[in-house]
Amino acid sequence: MAHRPYPNADRALRQIARHYPDEPVMAMPECLRPLADSITRLRVNTQRAADQGFGVGDYRLSTRRPVVSGGS
């Protein structure tokens, strides 16, 4: 009998996946809730700051903001 490729790739993947256990679903403990909230706020604030940036199309050699000084 000649070798024939598997006729249906989705069916083959389902057969392979049948042998792997599902990932366990764990509820987040209440003691970690403040940490998760602070990480979410950090992510949102970082994205907001990145969106503001220097403006679209501007090239900056440095990420430092320009300093306005009254000295000579």
Side-chain angles (χ1 to χ4, degrees):
M1 178 180 224
H3 171 74
R4 293 184 354 207
Y6 209 88
N8 188 341
D10 292 329
R11 183 172 174 227
L13 291 174
R14 280 195 308 270
Q15 286 184 346
I16 291 172
R18 197 180 324 159
H19 299 288
Y20 291 102
D22 293 335
E23 293 183 16
V25 178
M26 294 175 41
M28 183 180 299
E30 283 303 315
C31 62
L32 295 179
R33 181 76 52 200
L35 178 63
D37 293 342
S38 65
I39 290 174
T40 301
R41 280 194 311 273
L42 176 66
R43 184 180 51 81
V44 169
N45 292 339
T46 304
Q47 184 63 44
R48 187 178 303 134
D51 289 343
Q52 287 176 348
F54 287 110
V56 176
D58 289 346
Y59 174 77
R60 304 286 182 188
L61 184 60
S62 175
T63 58
R64 294 182 183 170
R65 301 266 183 200
V67 177
V68 178
S69 62
S72 54

